[in-house]
Amino acid sequence: MLRSLVGSAVTHPMDLMKVRMQLGGAGAQHGLLSATAGVIRTEGASGLYKGLSGSLLRQFLYSGTRFGVYDIIREKLQTEPGTGLPLHLKVANGLVSGAVGAVVGNPADVALVRMQADGRLPAAERRNYKGVVDSLGRIAKEEGVSTWWRGCNSTVARAMIVTAGQLATYDQAKEAIVSYAGSDPKHVSTHLSASIVAGIVASVVSNPVDVVKTRLMNMQPDPATGQPMYRGPLDCIAKTVRSEGVLALQKGLGATMTRQCPYVVIMFLCQERIKDLLTPL
């Protein structure tokens, strides 16, 4: 739990930039640095931390659940305590635990995306949530509690991919580094190398789903018809590709990697240190 909260707090500005870039239309072609400078220029440096309360609640619910479920399933599948699992079981475990965590954390995810995206809207259209509690309360009151799970299909798909990419890749990379390079499984260099690999893999495979999730969560009704902009994930993909091109599904990849890799490194380094401290107990 602590590992995720620390990683989320440190990398929150990159997460905000990822959301802003993913929501950009066909004309929004700014790079990460220029987009970041634009936020600081128009909203101040504190603008990079908009939605932090939502991010921390999301990590508490989502990561706490998925890591707990992952560890429980891994222990159940191990033939002997401390033994590794085959890659396909690691991936399957990541898919299941990611899906469970996503359902639990989706309300906080909706609040987070909206708070992060607010600054890019015209002043008259901004929601101006005071924080994650105010956001969740107003969403339930104005749009119904079911809106807390808007975009849940995409959230679950992304979480399954990210969790499998992070946890299964980390375990597999760590085992490979120890086996083929002869590294010490408890040395920080082993943990650092394996976590960097996990961060890169998770970023690349999850970004298209993340783009769809972000757009579904942030969409507003069409002013003319009152209908939602997208009917669902597939409709969002079709309209995005039709209007912006297939590469639009990789919008914000640079921000995703800049955020995901440090987050994963911090998360796993904290995990290994905490594990070492608790082992004698």
Side-chain angles (χ1 to χ4, degrees), residues 186 272-281:
K186 293 186 176 296
E272 297 290 357
R273 298 289 76 74
I274 293 171
K275 189 187 299 183
D276 289 342
L277 289 173
L278 295 179
T279 298
L281 302 177

Side-chain angles (χ1 to χ4, degrees), residues 246-267:
V246 69
L247 291 181
L249 296 175
Q250 286 293 356
K251 278 191 173 180
L253 178 60
T256 297
M257 295 188 71
T258 306
R259 184 260 179 190
Q260 182 88 244
C261 290
Y263 168 79
V264 172
V265 168
I266 292 169
M267 181 179 70

Side-chain angles (χ1 to χ4, degrees), residues 55-214:
S55 180
L56 295 178
L57 179 60
R58 174 183 178 273
Q59 289 302 332
F60 181 81
L61 296 173
Y62 162 61
S63 290
T65 301
R66 67 179 179 135
F67 288 135
V69 172
Y70 186 87
D71 289 343
I72 290 171
I73 295 177
R74 180 173 57 188
E75 291 177 6
K76 294 293 185 182
L77 293 176
Q78 286 173 343
T79 55
E80 295 181 14
T83 58
L85 294 176
L87 178 58
H88 69 280
L89 289 182
K90 292 173 186 169
V91 172
N93 188 5
L95 295 174
V96 172
S97 55
V100 175
V103 173
V104 174
N106 202 79
D109 213 352
V110 172
L112 169 62
V113 167
R114 291 189 176 196
M115 287 189 287
Q116 289 179 326
D118 222 28
R120 67 181 290 277
L121 296 173
E125 298 179 17
R126 292 177 187 173
R127 299 178 173 103
N128 295 316
Y129 297 129
K130 298 182 179 70
V132 65
V133 175
D134 178 56
S135 173
L136 291 172
R138 282 180 52 191
I139 290 171
K141 182 179 179 181
E142 298 168 6
E143 305 172 55
V145 173
S146 62
T147 306
W148 285 356
W149 280 275
R150 176 176 288 174
C152 192
N153 289 341
S154 296
T155 307
V156 168
R158 175 190 178 276
M160 292 171 70
I161 294 171
V162 167
T163 304
Q166 288 178 351
L167 304 188
T169 301
Y170 178 78
D171 283 349
Q172 191 69 19
K174 181 179 173 183
E175 290 176 10
I177 291 169
V178 171
S179 177
Y180 297 109
S183 299
D184 182 352
K186 293 186 176 296
H187 197 275
V188 66
S189 62
T190 304
H191 307 152
L192 179 63
S193 301
S195 60
I196 290 174
V197 173
I200 293 173
V201 171
S203 298
V204 173
V205 299
S206 70
N207 198 70
V209 184
D210 204 20
V211 170
V212 175
K213 174 190 77 77
T214 298

